Structures are given as structure tokens and as C-alpha cells.
Amino acid sequence: MNDHGISVADRLSDLTACIDFLDRAGQLIRVRSEVDPVFELAGIARQLEGTGCVLFERVRGSRFPVLCGLLADRDTIGQLFALPAAQVPFAIADAVSAWKKDPAALAPRLLDQAPANEVIAAPDLQALPIPQHALKDGGRYLDASLVVARNPLSGELNISVHRMMVTGRDRLSFLIDPGRHLGEYVEHAEARGEALPVTINNGVGLAPWIVSTLPRLGDGKPFVAHHLIGRGVALMHAQTVDVPAYADAQFVIEAEVLPGVREMEAPFAEVTGYYGQRAPRWVMRVKAITRRRAPVFHTVLSGREVWNAVGLTAEAAIFTAAKAHVD
């Protein structure tokens, strides 16, 4: 496959390189007219879903563009991996196997200065082009951001994706589904009466994002991405919390989960076609935001992109499980 001058490792680890590749490959649709982040952006993205990734260059109320549709088409995913689309789950499964054999291999670099902290901004979520997708959504949502947390007992890192609703300039309420490792970490921190520090990484590379959806791998799961890419993914020190962030992220929101605090979250239009119901849920307080000089905000629509993300990793898990029992 034509790499258009951008290596597979770069386009899997850096969203900016990924966007450049899609543009050169004719897979990027640029919307140059101004769009409203409340409903209009999602409506246009839905109409264009499956025809290419969509870059909204002018979003009302913000000076940052928004990318949507990165995982909407499996053939495009295959191009990013330089593989036939049907082979991508096998590449993910191979990365999981390599990580299990040697979890310490391809260790990440931990940087002080990186693209993701070129600008240290005020902790103001209202400055970001966070969209509101569906008509009954409870507010604007971060739905494609990786939460990095440290296990309070082992100190190891874990990554996961959660829906996070903006409730104030420095406040988010968010859902933790049952059985998620983040829920265990919050329970341990709350038992001590302590906040749980996290970094929220928006606009990470495709490999870390896909790896974040892998089920039941536990501590150290972020390092599977290293094997998928073939090199260590760089992390960076945060400004205000003792949890690293992705060095090549577009935006990093540093926050803490407040112990014992619950506030209302939802409704939210889920991939099932139904709205997640409003209920008291966990709360994060934002402490700092860092970003690239020219960042792109990343969002996903509930639907084809979510099915593809879950499908790729589920197929990888099934293959790995079957391979362990069949010689």
C-alpha cells in the first residue's frame, strides 16, 4: 500500500500524521464553512459517515478544528495499518500476544517537553470545541478521550474510554461501567478519602485508542500499543498530577476524580440506539489543560465507529483465545 511518505508507525501513533496521511490518500473530507458544535456538527458527520474522515475546520465558539469518522470505514482503517482490513484484528491479537510474552519490552519514553504541552492553558473546558451530538444529550461530551489512571495499589497504569459530560468550565460528570478497572481505582482512593488523579487525552494516535477498548487486560494495558506500532509510545509528565499523559496527544486535560462526590450525568445517545439514562455519577475537577500549538479535537459518533472499535478488539480477543487452545 502507498504510504504517501508517512510511515505506518507515525500514522498509528500521532493523530496529526494520521490526518496528513488521510488527506494525501484522498480519504479526508474538509468542511470549511462554520458549523455549530451543538447538533449541526454531528448531523453533517452522520450524513458523511462512511465516505471519509471529516475535518470541521471552523467550529463556532472555538478556534480549534474537530475530526470525526476516523473508524467509520474498515477499509480506511486497513490503509492506516498498511494491511487488508480483514487482517487488522490479527495484528491486534499479535500485539497482545507479544506484550504478554514480554510486558517490559518497548518501554515508553517519559518526556518533560512534548507536542502535547507546547501550550499550557487555563483549565477552561468551554474553550474547547466539545460537541453535543444527539437532541436529548444532557450536554457536551468528551467521548473519544483516553483516561490514564494509576492503580493506587500497584502503581501500574491503565487506560480506558468513558463518556464525560461537561457540567462547568472545570467540571465533568462521567460514567464508569460495571467491571471497569477505573471503578476499582476510584473505590480504593475513596476508601482513603483521597481524590484519584487522571489525565484525559484527546486526539491520541489510532493504536493507543484502539488498545484502550481491549477488554480484561488490566494493569499495563497501554503498552500493548507499543507492540502494535513497533516502538515505544512516548508519554510525558503532567503539570499538576502524578499520572503521565500521551506526549503526542492533541489536548491533555489534567483532573482528579473527587472522592464521594456524585452529580447528575446523561442522557447520552448510546451505540445501541437508546439513550443512557440520567443518574448521579462520578465527578472530575479539571486542574490544567495543555495542548499542541495547532491541535485538532477528536470526537466519535455513536454507531459505526464504536462498532468497528469494539469489533476489531473483540475479534482480536477471540482469535487470541482460540489460538491458545488450538495448535
Side-chain angles (χ1 to χ4, degrees):
M1 295 185 181
N2 190 339
D3 65 6
H4 297 280
I6 301 171
S7 71
V8 175
D10 285 345
R11 60 196 193 231
L12 291 182
S13 61
D14 182 351
L15 188 65
T16 298
C18 179
I19 293 170
D20 289 344
F21 171 82
L22 292 169
D23 199 14
R24 297 178 193 184
Q27 298 294 322
L28 185 71
I29 300 170
R30 293 179 178 272
V31 176
R32 293 189 167 90
S33 57
E34 185 181 76
V35 299
D36 193 321
V38 179
F39 307 140
E40 185 178 25
L41 184 151
I44 295 170
R46 181 69 77 194
Q47 291 295 317
L48 296 173
E49 193 171 40
T51 63
C53 298
V54 186
L55 183 66
F56 295 92
E57 297 185 346
R58 296 174 57 209
V59 179
R60 188 172 303 158
S62 177
R63 55 196 180 92
F64 306 121
V66 174
L67 180 74
C68 192
L70 184 58
L71 288 184
D73 180 74
R74 283 204 173 198
D75 288 334
T76 300
I77 298 169
Q79 288 183 51
L80 291 167
F81 276 84
L83 292 170
Q87 293 299 313
V88 173
F90 296 97
I92 298 170
D94 288 345
V96 173
S97 297
W99 169 72
K100 287 182 175 179
K101 288 178 182 177
D102 190 356
L106 302 178
R109 294 170 294 148
L110 187 58
L111 309 176
D112 291 321
Q113 301 296 320
N117 64 11
E118 288 175 328
V119 176
I120 300 173
D124 183 4
L125 295 169
Q126 307 297 340
L128 306 185
I130 302 171
Q132 184 170 351
H133 288 166
L135 294 177
K136 294 182 181 180
D137 280 357
R140 300 190 185 201
Y141 269 90
L142 294 155
D143 65 353
S145 301
L146 268 60
V147 176
V148 179
R150 194 183 297 280
N151 186 330
L153 300 182
S154 70
E156 295 293 326
L157 299 177
N158 195 272
I159 54 174
S160 52
V161 177
H162 305 267
R163 69 186 200 211
M164 293 172 277
M165 187 179 82
V166 177
T167 58
R169 65 182 298 272
D170 64 349
R171 207 167 184 90
L172 298 158
S173 59
F174 70 104
L175 174 68
I176 305 177
D177 288 320
R180 302 296 292 274
H181 288 92
L182 183 63
E184 297 176 14
Y185 301 171
V186 171
E187 285 183 12
H188 290 309
E190 287 188 328
R192 301 172 181 173
E194 298 173 355
L196 182 76
V198 299
T199 60
I200 303 166
N201 301 258
N202 182 269
V204 298
L206 181 59
W209 187 36
I210 286 178
V211 164
S212 72
T213 67
L214 283 165
R216 298 182 299 277
L217 289 183
D219 290 352
K221 182 171 75 169
F223 304 141
V224 175
H226 305 338
H227 295 274
L228 193 56
I229 295 167
R231 70 186 187 203
V233 179
L235 301 176
M236 70 175 192
H237 291 286
Q239 305 295 309
T240 63
V241 296
D242 185 24
V243 180
Y246 280 92
D248 288 321
Q250 302 290 313
F251 295 90
V252 173
I253 301 168
E254 301 177 12
E256 57 185 7
V257 183
L258 301 178
V261 178
R262 303 292 186 267
E263 293 176 358
M264 299 303 290
E265 181 269 338
F268 179 76
E270 291 282 10
V271 67
T272 57
Y274 297 92
Y275 282 93
Q277 294 303 303
R278 187 170 175 82
R281 296 199 169 97
W282 295 263
V283 175
M284 292 183 190
R285 179 172 59 204
V286 176
K287 302 182 72 176
I289 297 176
T290 68
R291 61 172 174 84
R292 291 185 176 215
R293 287 194 180 90
V296 176
F297 186 85
H298 183 205
T299 190
V300 301
L301 296 181
S302 293
R304 188 181 304 191
E305 284 197 87
V306 179
W307 288 125
N308 280 337
V310 173
L312 289 169
T313 52
E315 291 161 26
I318 292 168
F319 175 74
T320 300
K323 187 177 180 181
H325 292 88
V326 178
D327 190 353

